[in-house]
Amino acid sequence: MDHPSDPAAHLAPEPTLRDLTTRECWEHLARQPVGRLACVLGGRAVLLPLNHRVHDHAVWFRTASWSRLGVHLPGLEVVFEVDDADPRTRSGWSVVARGTTEHVLTGVPGSPGAEDHGDPAPWPGGPRTMLFRLVPTELTGRLLRPAAVVAPVGVRPGSVQRDPGHVAVAPR
């Protein structure tokens, strides 16, 4: 058994990594407004940030008809990823959706905007009239939880501990 005065006795356990359930993957996808779309265009791997909307178990986004995506994306196999990370706690999550994109005519029943489900309006200015849907054939996610904080022996939750050798000075 570790001695209570040994600093190693108070180290927190390792951070934990676990797979997200399908339901949790959809929740995380919906929570983050910007993700990254990865595909191969013209023989080259491309990774582009896109804002999106989740509706009816699909990822929806818009692009301009004259853009690289507008020209090459219909029917293309893609990977879409969203994530969030906290460098301070070394924690975060990531969700990856794989599937084939489908060009959907605006106003089709069930599409965002058609029934007031919210249009995935792009952040950049200009016309972005091509609506795309990605219904994932594979949806995976992982969650990295920070290590638990373990209080040293004798410290109560909510108590303030002061270092007698340290005097705090307010900035001027």
Side-chain angles (χ1 to χ4, degrees), residues 22-81:
T22 301
R23 183 180 91 350
E24 289 172 322
C25 286
W26 284 114
E27 289 170 357
H28 282 78
L29 268 171
R31 181 180 310 158
Q32 193 70 299
V34 176
R36 281 159 293 287
L37 182 80
C39 59
V40 176
L41 297 177
R44 297 188 66 172
V46 177
L47 182 66
L48 300 167
L50 288 175
N51 64 298
H52 67 284
R53 177 148 177 88
V54 171
H55 171 67
D56 199 22
H57 287 77
V59 179
W60 297 81
F61 54 92
R62 286 189 176 276
T63 192
S65 59
W66 47 264
S67 69
R68 284 189 301 170
L69 287 181
V71 171
H72 299 286
L73 202 54
L76 193 64
E77 183 76 20
V78 300
V79 175
F80 187 75
E81 189 267 351

Short mmCIF file of all heavy atoms in Angstrom, two decimals, residues 22-81:
data_model
loop_
_atom_site.label_atom_id
_atom_site.label_comp_id
_atom_site.label_asym_id
_atom_site.label_seq_id
_atom_site.Cartn_x
_atom_site.Cartn_y
_atom_site.Cartn_z
N THR A 22 -24.34 4.26 -31.36
CA THR A 22 -24.87 4.92 -32.55
C THR A 22 -25.68 6.16 -32.15
O THR A 22 -25.54 7.22 -32.76
CB THR A 22 -25.74 3.95 -33.37
OG1 THR A 22 -24.93 2.84 -33.75
CG2 THR A 22 -26.32 4.61 -34.60
N ARG A 23 -26.50 6.04 -31.13
CA ARG A 23 -27.29 7.18 -30.66
C ARG A 23 -26.39 8.33 -30.21
O ARG A 23 -26.62 9.49 -30.55
CB ARG A 23 -28.22 6.74 -29.52
CG ARG A 23 -29.14 7.85 -29.03
CD ARG A 23 -30.05 7.42 -27.92
NE ARG A 23 -29.77 7.53 -26.55
CZ ARG A 23 -28.69 7.82 -25.81
NH1 ARG A 23 -27.66 8.03 -26.26
NH2 ARG A 23 -28.58 7.90 -24.57
N GLU A 24 -25.33 8.01 -29.48
CA GLU A 24 -24.39 9.05 -29.04
C GLU A 24 -23.67 9.69 -30.23
O GLU A 24 -23.42 10.90 -30.23
CB GLU A 24 -23.36 8.45 -28.07
CG GLU A 24 -23.94 8.08 -26.72
CD GLU A 24 -22.94 7.31 -25.87
OE1 GLU A 24 -22.19 6.47 -26.40
OE2 GLU A 24 -22.93 7.57 -24.65
N CYS A 25 -23.36 8.88 -31.25
CA CYS A 25 -22.72 9.44 -32.45
C CYS A 25 -23.61 10.48 -33.09
O CYS A 25 -23.16 11.58 -33.45
CB CYS A 25 -22.41 8.33 -33.45
SG CYS A 25 -21.01 7.28 -33.01
N TRP A 26 -24.91 10.18 -33.25
CA TRP A 26 -25.84 11.14 -33.85
C TRP A 26 -25.95 12.40 -32.99
O TRP A 26 -26.01 13.51 -33.51
CB TRP A 26 -27.21 10.51 -34.08
CG TRP A 26 -27.23 9.61 -35.27
CD1 TRP A 26 -27.41 8.26 -35.29
CD2 TRP A 26 -27.05 10.00 -36.64
NE1 TRP A 26 -27.34 7.79 -36.57
CE2 TRP A 26 -27.12 8.83 -37.42
CE3 TRP A 26 -26.82 11.21 -37.28
CZ2 TRP A 26 -26.99 8.84 -38.81
CZ3 TRP A 26 -26.69 11.22 -38.66
CH2 TRP A 26 -26.77 10.06 -39.42
N GLU A 27 -25.98 12.24 -31.67
CA GLU A 27 -26.07 13.40 -30.78
C GLU A 27 -24.84 14.30 -30.93
O GLU A 27 -24.96 15.52 -30.98
CB GLU A 27 -26.21 12.94 -29.32
CG GLU A 27 -27.56 12.32 -29.02
CD GLU A 27 -27.62 11.64 -27.66
OE1 GLU A 27 -26.58 11.61 -26.94
OE2 GLU A 27 -28.70 11.13 -27.31
N HIS A 28 -23.66 13.69 -31.00
CA HIS A 28 -22.44 14.47 -31.15
C HIS A 28 -22.37 15.13 -32.53
O HIS A 28 -21.94 16.27 -32.66
CB HIS A 28 -21.20 13.60 -30.91
CG HIS A 28 -20.94 13.35 -29.46
ND1 HIS A 28 -21.64 12.44 -28.72
CD2 HIS A 28 -20.03 13.89 -28.63
CE1 HIS A 28 -21.19 12.44 -27.48
NE2 HIS A 28 -20.21 13.32 -27.39
N LEU A 29 -22.80 14.43 -33.58
CA LEU A 29 -22.84 15.01 -34.92
C LEU A 29 -23.72 16.26 -34.94
O LEU A 29 -23.37 17.27 -35.56
CB LEU A 29 -23.39 14.01 -35.93
CG LEU A 29 -22.42 13.12 -36.67
CD1 LEU A 29 -23.17 12.05 -37.45
CD2 LEU A 29 -21.51 13.90 -37.57
N ALA A 30 -24.86 16.18 -34.28
CA ALA A 30 -25.81 17.30 -34.26
C ALA A 30 -25.30 18.46 -33.41
O ALA A 30 -25.64 19.61 -33.66
CB ALA A 30 -27.16 16.82 -33.75
N ARG A 31 -24.48 18.17 -32.43
CA ARG A 31 -24.00 19.18 -31.49
C ARG A 31 -22.96 20.12 -32.12
O ARG A 31 -22.88 21.28 -31.77
CB ARG A 31 -23.38 18.47 -30.29
CG ARG A 31 -22.87 19.39 -29.21
CD ARG A 31 -22.26 18.63 -28.05
NE ARG A 31 -23.16 17.59 -27.59
CZ ARG A 31 -22.77 16.53 -26.91
NH1 ARG A 31 -21.51 16.36 -26.62
NH2 ARG A 31 -23.64 15.63 -26.52
N GLN A 32 -22.17 19.60 -33.03
CA GLN A 32 -21.06 20.37 -33.60
C GLN A 32 -21.45 20.87 -34.99
O GLN A 32 -21.72 20.08 -35.88
CB GLN A 32 -19.83 19.46 -33.67
CG GLN A 32 -18.53 20.17 -33.95
CD GLN A 32 -18.08 21.02 -32.79
OE1 GLN A 32 -18.78 21.94 -32.40
NE2 GLN A 32 -16.92 20.73 -32.25
N PRO A 33 -21.48 22.19 -35.23
CA PRO A 33 -21.97 22.70 -36.51
C PRO A 33 -20.99 22.58 -37.68
O PRO A 33 -21.39 22.69 -38.83
CB PRO A 33 -22.25 24.18 -36.21
CG PRO A 33 -21.30 24.51 -35.11
CD PRO A 33 -21.18 23.26 -34.28
N VAL A 34 -19.72 22.36 -37.40
CA VAL A 34 -18.72 22.28 -38.47
C VAL A 34 -18.00 20.95 -38.39
O VAL A 34 -17.62 20.49 -37.32
CB VAL A 34 -17.70 23.43 -38.37
CG1 VAL A 34 -16.61 23.30 -39.43
CG2 VAL A 34 -18.39 24.77 -38.49
N GLY A 35 -17.84 20.33 -39.56
CA GLY A 35 -17.09 19.08 -39.64
C GLY A 35 -16.16 19.13 -40.83
O GLY A 35 -16.00 20.18 -41.47
N ARG A 36 -15.52 18.01 -41.14
CA ARG A 36 -14.60 17.93 -42.26
C ARG A 36 -15.03 16.80 -43.18
O ARG A 36 -15.29 15.69 -42.74
CB ARG A 36 -13.17 17.70 -41.75
CG ARG A 36 -12.55 18.99 -41.23
CD ARG A 36 -11.41 18.76 -40.28
NE ARG A 36 -11.79 18.15 -39.01
CZ ARG A 36 -12.44 18.78 -38.03
NH1 ARG A 36 -12.84 20.01 -38.19
NH2 ARG A 36 -12.72 18.16 -36.90
N LEU A 37 -15.08 17.11 -44.46
CA LEU A 37 -15.44 16.14 -45.48
C LEU A 37 -14.15 15.71 -46.18
O LEU A 37 -13.41 16.55 -46.69
CB LEU A 37 -16.39 16.77 -46.50
CG LEU A 37 -16.88 15.82 -47.59
CD1 LEU A 37 -18.02 14.96 -47.04
CD2 LEU A 37 -17.33 16.60 -48.80
N ALA A 38 -13.89 14.40 -46.19
CA ALA A 38 -12.71 13.85 -46.86
C ALA A 38 -13.17 13.01 -48.04
O ALA A 38 -14.11 12.22 -47.92
CB ALA A 38 -11.90 13.00 -45.89
N CYS A 39 -12.51 13.21 -49.20
CA CYS A 39 -12.82 12.43 -50.39
C CYS A 39 -11.63 12.51 -51.34
O CYS A 39 -10.65 13.20 -51.07
CB CYS A 39 -14.09 12.94 -51.06
SG CYS A 39 -14.04 14.67 -51.57
N VAL A 40 -11.73 11.81 -52.44
CA VAL A 40 -10.69 11.86 -53.47
C VAL A 40 -11.29 12.56 -54.68
O VAL A 40 -12.31 12.12 -55.22
CB VAL A 40 -10.20 10.44 -53.83
CG1 VAL A 40 -9.19 10.51 -54.96
CG2 VAL A 40 -9.59 9.76 -52.60
N LEU A 41 -10.68 13.67 -55.07
CA LEU A 41 -11.11 14.43 -56.25
C LEU A 41 -9.94 14.55 -57.21
O LEU A 41 -8.86 15.02 -56.82
CB LEU A 41 -11.58 15.84 -55.86
CG LEU A 41 -12.80 15.95 -54.95
CD1 LEU A 41 -13.07 17.41 -54.62
CD2 LEU A 41 -14.01 15.32 -55.59
N GLY A 42 -10.13 14.10 -58.42
CA GLY A 42 -9.06 14.18 -59.41
C GLY A 42 -7.82 13.41 -59.01
O GLY A 42 -6.71 13.85 -59.30
N GLY A 43 -7.99 12.29 -58.31
CA GLY A 43 -6.86 11.47 -57.90
C GLY A 43 -6.12 11.98 -56.68
O GLY A 43 -5.10 11.41 -56.28
N ARG A 44 -6.62 13.03 -56.05
CA ARG A 44 -5.95 13.59 -54.86
C ARG A 44 -6.90 13.58 -53.67
O ARG A 44 -8.08 13.88 -53.80
CB ARG A 44 -5.53 15.03 -55.13
CG ARG A 44 -4.50 15.13 -56.27
CD ARG A 44 -3.97 16.49 -56.38
NE ARG A 44 -3.21 16.76 -55.15
CZ ARG A 44 -2.47 17.82 -54.97
NH1 ARG A 44 -2.39 18.74 -55.90
NH2 ARG A 44 -1.81 18.01 -53.85
N ALA A 45 -6.35 13.26 -52.51
CA ALA A 45 -7.14 13.31 -51.28
C ALA A 45 -7.42 14.77 -50.93
O ALA A 45 -6.54 15.62 -51.01
CB ALA A 45 -6.38 12.64 -50.14
N VAL A 46 -8.68 15.04 -50.57
CA VAL A 46 -9.11 16.40 -50.24
C VAL A 46 -9.80 16.36 -48.88
O VAL A 46 -10.57 15.43 -48.58
CB VAL A 46 -10.09 16.92 -51.31
CG1 VAL A 46 -10.61 18.29 -50.95
CG2 VAL A 46 -9.43 16.95 -52.67
N LEU A 47 -9.53 17.35 -48.07
CA LEU A 47 -10.17 17.49 -46.76
C LEU A 47 -10.67 18.92 -46.65
O LEU A 47 -9.88 19.86 -46.69
CB LEU A 47 -9.17 17.18 -45.65
CG LEU A 47 -9.68 17.22 -44.23
CD1 LEU A 47 -10.70 16.11 -44.00
CD2 LEU A 47 -8.54 17.08 -43.24
N LEU A 48 -12.00 19.07 -46.53
CA LEU A 48 -12.60 20.40 -46.53
C LEU A 48 -13.51 20.60 -45.32
O LEU A 48 -14.32 19.72 -45.00
CB LEU A 48 -13.45 20.59 -47.79
CG LEU A 48 -12.71 20.48 -49.12
CD1 LEU A 48 -13.69 20.38 -50.27
CD2 LEU A 48 -11.79 21.67 -49.29
N PRO A 49 -13.40 21.76 -44.66
CA PRO A 49 -14.33 22.04 -43.57
C PRO A 49 -15.70 22.42 -44.15
O PRO A 49 -15.78 23.12 -45.16
CB PRO A 49 -13.69 23.23 -42.85
CG PRO A 49 -12.87 23.90 -43.89
CD PRO A 49 -12.42 22.83 -44.85
N LEU A 50 -16.76 21.92 -43.52
CA LEU A 50 -18.13 22.22 -43.95
C LEU A 50 -19.02 22.40 -42.74
O LEU A 50 -18.93 21.62 -41.79
CB LEU A 50 -18.73 21.06 -44.76
CG LEU A 50 -18.24 20.79 -46.17
CD1 LEU A 50 -18.90 19.53 -46.69
CD2 LEU A 50 -18.56 21.95 -47.07
N ASN A 51 -19.90 23.39 -42.80
CA ASN A 51 -20.95 23.40 -41.78
C ASN A 51 -22.06 22.49 -42.30
O ASN A 51 -22.21 22.28 -43.51
CB ASN A 51 -21.43 24.81 -41.45
CG ASN A 51 -22.08 25.50 -42.60
OD1 ASN A 51 -21.46 25.72 -43.62
ND2 ASN A 51 -23.35 25.85 -42.42
N HIS A 52 -22.80 21.91 -41.40
CA HIS A 52 -23.77 20.89 -41.77
C HIS A 52 -24.96 20.93 -40.83
O HIS A 52 -24.96 21.66 -39.83
CB HIS A 52 -23.13 19.50 -41.72
CG HIS A 52 -22.76 19.09 -40.33
ND1 HIS A 52 -21.66 19.60 -39.68
CD2 HIS A 52 -23.36 18.26 -39.46
CE1 HIS A 52 -21.60 19.08 -38.46
NE2 HIS A 52 -22.62 18.27 -38.29
N ARG A 53 -25.93 20.10 -41.13
CA ARG A 53 -27.10 19.92 -40.27
C ARG A 53 -27.42 18.43 -40.26
O ARG A 53 -27.32 17.77 -41.28
CB ARG A 53 -28.28 20.71 -40.81
CG ARG A 53 -29.54 20.51 -40.01
CD ARG A 53 -30.38 21.78 -40.04
NE ARG A 53 -31.61 21.60 -39.33
CZ ARG A 53 -31.77 21.81 -38.03
NH1 ARG A 53 -30.75 22.18 -37.31
NH2 ARG A 53 -32.94 21.66 -37.47
N VAL A 54 -27.80 17.94 -39.10
CA VAL A 54 -28.22 16.55 -38.97
C VAL A 54 -29.74 16.52 -38.92
O VAL A 54 -30.37 17.28 -38.17
CB VAL A 54 -27.64 15.90 -37.69
CG1 VAL A 54 -28.23 14.54 -37.45
CG2 VAL A 54 -26.13 15.81 -37.80
N HIS A 55 -30.34 15.68 -39.78
CA HIS A 55 -31.79 15.54 -39.83
C HIS A 55 -32.13 14.16 -40.36
O HIS A 55 -31.58 13.72 -41.38
CB HIS A 55 -32.40 16.63 -40.71
CG HIS A 55 -33.86 16.43 -40.97
ND1 HIS A 55 -34.80 16.54 -39.97
CD2 HIS A 55 -34.52 16.11 -42.09
CE1 HIS A 55 -35.99 16.29 -40.49
NE2 HIS A 55 -35.85 16.03 -41.78
N ASP A 56 -33.02 13.46 -39.67
CA ASP A 56 -33.55 12.18 -40.13
C ASP A 56 -32.43 11.19 -40.45
O ASP A 56 -32.43 10.58 -41.51
CB ASP A 56 -34.46 12.41 -41.34
CG ASP A 56 -35.40 11.24 -41.57
OD1 ASP A 56 -35.64 10.47 -40.62
OD2 ASP A 56 -35.85 11.08 -42.72
N HIS A 57 -31.49 11.03 -39.52
CA HIS A 57 -30.37 10.10 -39.64
C HIS A 57 -29.56 10.31 -40.91
O HIS A 57 -29.14 9.37 -41.58
CB HIS A 57 -30.85 8.65 -39.52
CG HIS A 57 -31.23 8.31 -38.12
ND1 HIS A 57 -32.42 8.72 -37.57
CD2 HIS A 57 -30.58 7.64 -37.16
CE1 HIS A 57 -32.48 8.30 -36.32
NE2 HIS A 57 -31.37 7.64 -36.04
N ALA A 58 -29.34 11.57 -41.25
CA ALA A 58 -28.51 11.94 -42.39
C ALA A 58 -27.77 13.23 -42.07
O ALA A 58 -28.22 14.02 -41.24
CB ALA A 58 -29.35 12.11 -43.65
N VAL A 59 -26.63 13.42 -42.72
CA VAL A 59 -25.86 14.66 -42.62
C VAL A 59 -26.15 15.45 -43.90
O VAL A 59 -26.01 14.92 -45.00
CB VAL A 59 -24.35 14.36 -42.51
CG1 VAL A 59 -23.56 15.66 -42.44
CG2 VAL A 59 -24.06 13.49 -41.29
N TRP A 60 -26.59 16.69 -43.74
CA TRP A 60 -26.97 17.55 -44.87
C TRP A 60 -26.02 18.73 -44.95
O TRP A 60 -25.64 19.30 -43.94
CB TRP A 60 -28.39 18.07 -44.67
CG TRP A 60 -29.44 17.01 -44.64
CD1 TRP A 60 -29.78 16.22 -43.58
CD2 TRP A 60 -30.29 16.62 -45.71
NE1 TRP A 60 -30.80 15.37 -43.94
CE2 TRP A 60 -31.13 15.59 -45.24
CE3 TRP A 60 -30.43 17.05 -47.03
CZ2 TRP A 60 -32.09 14.99 -46.03
CZ3 TRP A 60 -31.39 16.45 -47.82
CH2 TRP A 60 -32.21 15.43 -47.33
N PHE A 61 -25.68 19.12 -46.18
CA PHE A 61 -24.87 20.31 -46.39
C PHE A 61 -25.12 20.84 -47.79
O PHE A 61 -25.68 20.17 -48.65
CB PHE A 61 -23.38 20.03 -46.16
CG PHE A 61 -22.83 18.88 -46.95
CD1 PHE A 61 -22.25 19.10 -48.18
CD2 PHE A 61 -22.89 17.59 -46.45
CE1 PHE A 61 -21.75 18.05 -48.92
CE2 PHE A 61 -22.39 16.54 -47.18
CZ PHE A 61 -21.82 16.76 -48.42
N ARG A 62 -24.70 22.09 -48.00
CA ARG A 62 -24.88 22.76 -49.29
C ARG A 62 -23.52 23.17 -49.85
O ARG A 62 -22.58 23.40 -49.11
CB ARG A 62 -25.73 24.02 -49.13
CG ARG A 62 -27.18 23.76 -48.91
CD ARG A 62 -27.96 25.08 -48.98
NE ARG A 62 -29.37 24.83 -48.86
CZ ARG A 62 -30.16 24.49 -49.87
NH1 ARG A 62 -29.67 24.36 -51.07
NH2 ARG A 62 -31.44 24.27 -49.68
N THR A 63 -23.48 23.30 -51.17
CA THR A 63 -22.31 23.84 -51.84
C THR A 63 -22.75 24.52 -53.13
O THR A 63 -23.91 24.41 -53.54
CB THR A 63 -21.26 22.74 -52.11
OG1 THR A 63 -20.03 23.36 -52.51
CG2 THR A 63 -21.72 21.77 -53.17
N ALA A 64 -21.84 25.22 -53.76
CA ALA A 64 -22.13 25.90 -55.02
C ALA A 64 -22.02 24.92 -56.18
O ALA A 64 -21.15 24.04 -56.17
CB ALA A 64 -21.16 27.06 -55.23
N SER A 65 -22.87 25.06 -57.16
CA SER A 65 -22.87 24.14 -58.30
C SER A 65 -21.58 24.21 -59.10
O SER A 65 -21.17 23.24 -59.72
CB SER A 65 -24.07 24.43 -59.21
OG SER A 65 -24.01 25.76 -59.68
N TRP A 66 -20.89 25.33 -59.09
CA TRP A 66 -19.66 25.51 -59.85
C TRP A 66 -18.41 25.10 -59.07
O TRP A 66 -17.32 25.09 -59.60
CB TRP A 66 -19.53 26.96 -60.29
CG TRP A 66 -19.80 27.94 -59.19
CD1 TRP A 66 -20.98 28.56 -58.93
CD2 TRP A 66 -18.90 28.35 -58.16
NE1 TRP A 66 -20.88 29.36 -57.81
CE2 TRP A 66 -19.59 29.25 -57.32
CE3 TRP A 66 -17.57 28.08 -57.86
CZ2 TRP A 66 -19.02 29.85 -56.22
CZ3 TRP A 66 -17.00 28.68 -56.76
CH2 TRP A 66 -17.72 29.56 -55.95
N SER A 67 -18.56 24.74 -57.79
CA SER A 67 -17.41 24.38 -56.96
C SER A 67 -16.92 22.96 -57.27
O SER A 67 -17.62 22.17 -57.91
CB SER A 67 -17.78 24.49 -55.48
OG SER A 67 -18.69 23.46 -55.14
N ARG A 68 -15.72 22.64 -56.79
CA ARG A 68 -15.19 21.28 -56.97
C ARG A 68 -16.15 20.25 -56.38
O ARG A 68 -16.39 19.20 -56.96
CB ARG A 68 -13.83 21.12 -56.28
CG ARG A 68 -12.70 21.76 -57.00
CD ARG A 68 -11.38 21.39 -56.39
NE ARG A 68 -11.31 21.78 -54.98
CZ ARG A 68 -10.35 21.42 -54.15
NH1 ARG A 68 -9.38 20.64 -54.55
NH2 ARG A 68 -10.34 21.82 -52.91
N LEU A 69 -16.71 20.56 -55.21
CA LEU A 69 -17.65 19.63 -54.59
C LEU A 69 -18.92 19.50 -55.43
O LEU A 69 -19.42 18.40 -55.64
CB LEU A 69 -18.01 20.07 -53.17
CG LEU A 69 -16.94 19.89 -52.11
CD1 LEU A 69 -17.47 20.36 -50.76
CD2 LEU A 69 -16.47 18.46 -52.03
N GLY A 70 -19.44 20.62 -55.88
CA GLY A 70 -20.67 20.59 -56.67
C GLY A 70 -20.52 19.77 -57.94
O GLY A 70 -21.45 19.06 -58.35
N VAL A 71 -19.36 19.84 -58.56
CA VAL A 71 -19.11 19.12 -59.81
C VAL A 71 -18.89 17.63 -59.57
O VAL A 71 -19.41 16.78 -60.29
CB VAL A 71 -17.91 19.75 -60.56
CG1 VAL A 71 -17.49 18.89 -61.74
CG2 VAL A 71 -18.25 21.16 -61.00
N HIS A 72 -18.10 17.28 -58.55
CA HIS A 72 -17.65 15.89 -58.37
C HIS A 72 -18.36 15.11 -57.26
O HIS A 72 -18.25 13.89 -57.21
CB HIS A 72 -16.14 15.86 -58.08
CG HIS A 72 -15.32 16.42 -59.18
ND1 HIS A 72 -15.10 15.76 -60.35
CD2 HIS A 72 -14.66 17.61 -59.28
CE1 HIS A 72 -14.34 16.49 -61.15
NE2 HIS A 72 -14.07 17.63 -60.52
N LEU A 73 -19.06 15.78 -56.38
CA LEU A 73 -19.59 15.12 -55.19
C LEU A 73 -20.77 14.18 -55.40
O LEU A 73 -20.87 13.17 -54.71
CB LEU A 73 -19.95 16.17 -54.13
CG LEU A 73 -20.00 15.69 -52.70
CD1 LEU A 73 -18.73 15.01 -52.27
CD2 LEU A 73 -20.30 16.84 -51.77
N PRO A 74 -21.68 14.43 -56.32
CA PRO A 74 -22.83 13.52 -56.43
C PRO A 74 -22.39 12.07 -56.65
O PRO A 74 -21.63 11.76 -57.56
CB PRO A 74 -23.59 14.05 -57.65
CG PRO A 74 -23.21 15.50 -57.74
CD PRO A 74 -21.77 15.55 -57.28
N GLY A 75 -22.84 11.20 -55.74
CA GLY A 75 -22.54 9.78 -55.84
C GLY A 75 -21.15 9.38 -55.41
O GLY A 75 -20.73 8.24 -55.60
N LEU A 76 -20.41 10.29 -54.79
CA LEU A 76 -19.03 10.02 -54.39
C LEU A 76 -18.97 9.42 -52.98
O LEU A 76 -19.70 9.83 -52.08
CB LEU A 76 -18.23 11.32 -54.43
CG LEU A 76 -16.71 11.22 -54.33
CD1 LEU A 76 -16.15 10.47 -55.53
CD2 LEU A 76 -16.11 12.62 -54.26
N GLU A 77 -18.09 8.44 -52.79
CA GLU A 77 -17.83 7.86 -51.47
C GLU A 77 -17.02 8.88 -50.67
O GLU A 77 -16.00 9.37 -51.14
CB GLU A 77 -17.06 6.56 -51.63
CG GLU A 77 -16.78 5.84 -50.34
CD GLU A 77 -17.99 5.12 -49.77
OE1 GLU A 77 -18.95 4.84 -50.53
OE2 GLU A 77 -17.99 4.83 -48.57
N VAL A 78 -17.49 9.20 -49.46
CA VAL A 78 -16.84 10.22 -48.64
C VAL A 78 -16.74 9.75 -47.19
O VAL A 78 -17.38 8.78 -46.78
CB VAL A 78 -17.59 11.57 -48.67
CG1 VAL A 78 -17.68 12.12 -50.08
CG2 VAL A 78 -18.96 11.45 -48.04
N VAL A 79 -15.95 10.48 -46.44
CA VAL A 79 -15.86 10.35 -44.99
C VAL A 79 -16.12 11.74 -44.42
O VAL A 79 -15.53 12.71 -44.89
CB VAL A 79 -14.48 9.83 -44.55
CG1 VAL A 79 -14.37 9.81 -43.03
CG2 VAL A 79 -14.20 8.46 -45.12
N PHE A 80 -17.02 11.82 -43.44
CA PHE A 80 -17.32 13.09 -42.79
C PHE A 80 -16.99 12.93 -41.31
O PHE A 80 -17.39 11.94 -40.68
CB PHE A 80 -18.80 13.44 -42.97
CG PHE A 80 -19.15 14.81 -42.47
CD1 PHE A 80 -18.80 15.94 -43.19
CD2 PHE A 80 -19.82 14.97 -41.27
CE1 PHE A 80 -19.11 17.21 -42.73
CE2 PHE A 80 -20.14 16.23 -40.79
CZ PHE A 80 -19.79 17.35 -41.52
N GLU A 81 -16.26 13.89 -40.76
CA GLU A 81 -15.81 13.78 -39.38
C GLU A 81 -16.09 15.06 -38.62
O GLU A 81 -15.94 16.15 -39.15
CB GLU A 81 -14.29 13.49 -39.37
CG GLU A 81 -13.73 13.14 -38.01
CD GLU A 81 -13.19 14.32 -37.24
OE1 GLU A 81 -13.07 15.43 -37.80
OE2 GLU A 81 -12.90 14.16 -36.04
#
